[in-house]
């Protein structure tokens, strides 16, 4: 084989590899696009350009239904449980976005450590997969629930450092709103 033949075959190989990569990227991009629009379901909330789909909240709905449902729960009660689950999910998603804008994020290493510890505790009595099945949640639910706890702690830490209320301001607010909001025995 001469050098011209090698160059020719090299060019052909590069073109074929490039064409296959472009095709693969197009297929991957198209599958992602179709996946978002079909498998995640309908958009139920949007916040700051981020969408929440009904598939995103299914785990938290299922978990809350299992935890709070009893034989006396009415249809209105079931709807209330589901609505509260969705509101909780959306609030934490918004909190995560807002904290991210300020440069605060959940420590993923710490979250993974906490998740492994929680999973180990569950596995003392049953398999984690059985726990997930019992609560009708995906294997990712517990980690995401722990993320919500971490977000709440982070949010409280950030707010406490940013919001300062003096004793006088608190007393003034209470005296102005006592009749409306702070009635006994509440």
């Amino acid at each position: 084989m001469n050098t011209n033949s090698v160059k020719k075959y090299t060019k052909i190989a590069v073109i074929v590899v490039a064409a296959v990569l472009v095709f693969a990227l197009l297929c991957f991009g198209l599958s992602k696009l179709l996946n978002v629009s079909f498998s995640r379901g309908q958009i139920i909330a949007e916040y700051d350009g981020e969408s929440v789909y009904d598939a995103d909240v299914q785990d938290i709905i299922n978990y809350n239904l299992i935890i709070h449902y009893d034989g006396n729960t009415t249809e209105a009660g079931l709807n209330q449980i589901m609505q509260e689950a969705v509101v909780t999910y959306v609030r934490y998603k918004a909190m995560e976005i807002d904290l991210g804008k300020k440069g605060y994020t959940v420590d993923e290493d710490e979250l993974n450590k906490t998740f492994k510890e929680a999973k180990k505790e569950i596995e003392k009595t049953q398999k984690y997969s059985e726990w997930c099945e019992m609560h009708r949640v995906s294997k990712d639910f517990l980690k995401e629930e722990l993320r919500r706890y971490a977000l709440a702690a982070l949010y409280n830490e950030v707010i406490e450092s940013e919001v300062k209320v003096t004793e006088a301001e608190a007393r003034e607010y209470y005296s102005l709103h006592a009749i409306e909001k702070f009635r006994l025995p509440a």
Side-chain angles (χ1 to χ4, degrees), residues 29-49:
L30 185 59
S31 72
K32 283 289 192 190
L33 181 65
L34 293 175
N35 198 12
V36 166
S37 62
F38 293 115
S39 71
R40 293 180 73 189
Q42 295 180 338
I43 294 174
I44 58 170
E46 288 182 317
Y47 181 77
D48 200 32

Side-chain angles (χ1 to χ4, degrees), residues 24-155:
L25 287 172
L26 285 172
C27 289
F28 177 74
L30 185 59
S31 72
K32 283 289 192 190
L33 181 65
L34 293 175
N35 198 12
V36 166
S37 62
F38 293 115
S39 71
R40 293 180 73 189
Q42 295 180 338
I43 294 174
I44 58 170
E46 288 182 317
Y47 181 77
D48 200 32
E50 296 283 328
S51 298
V52 174
Y53 296 85
D54 55 3
D56 296 334
V57 297
Q58 197 58 56
D59 273 347
I60 197 168
I61 289 173
N62 289 348
Y63 185 77
N64 282 2
L65 285 172
I66 293 292
I67 297 301
H68 299 293
Y69 176 80
D70 65 26
N72 298 321
T73 306
T74 64
E75 187 174 333
L78 288 173
N79 286 332
Q80 174 93 22
I81 292 168
M82 291 187 287
Q83 286 174 358
E84 287 173 3
V86 171
V87 167
T88 297
Y89 183 92
V90 172
R91 282 184 180 157
Y92 278 95
K93 192 53 115 172
M95 185 187 307
E96 186 172 29
I97 291 168
D98 289 344
L99 286 168
K101 284 180 187 177
K102 292 181 176 219
Y104 298 98
T105 58
V106 169
D107 181 344
E108 292 297 323
D109 292 335
E110 188 63 32
L111 177 64
N112 287 331
K113 181 182 168 191
T114 305
F115 172 63
K116 286 178 185 175
E117 291 169 0
K119 190 174 170 184
K120 188 188 272 187
E121 279 299 311
I122 290 170
E123 289 182 339
K124 285 181 179 178
T125 58
Q126 67 188 122
K127 289 183 180 178
Y128 180 66
S129 59
E130 291 171 352
W131 182 88
C132 292
E133 191 175 308
M134 181 177 76
H135 290 91
R136 297 185 180 165
V137 296
S138 72
K139 63 182 176 68
D140 299 326
F141 172 75
L142 180 58
K143 186 173 184 180
E144 290 308 306
E145 186 73 356
L146 292 170
R147 178 182 303 281
R148 286 187 279 277
Y149 283 107
L151 281 167
L154 181 61
Y155 185 80

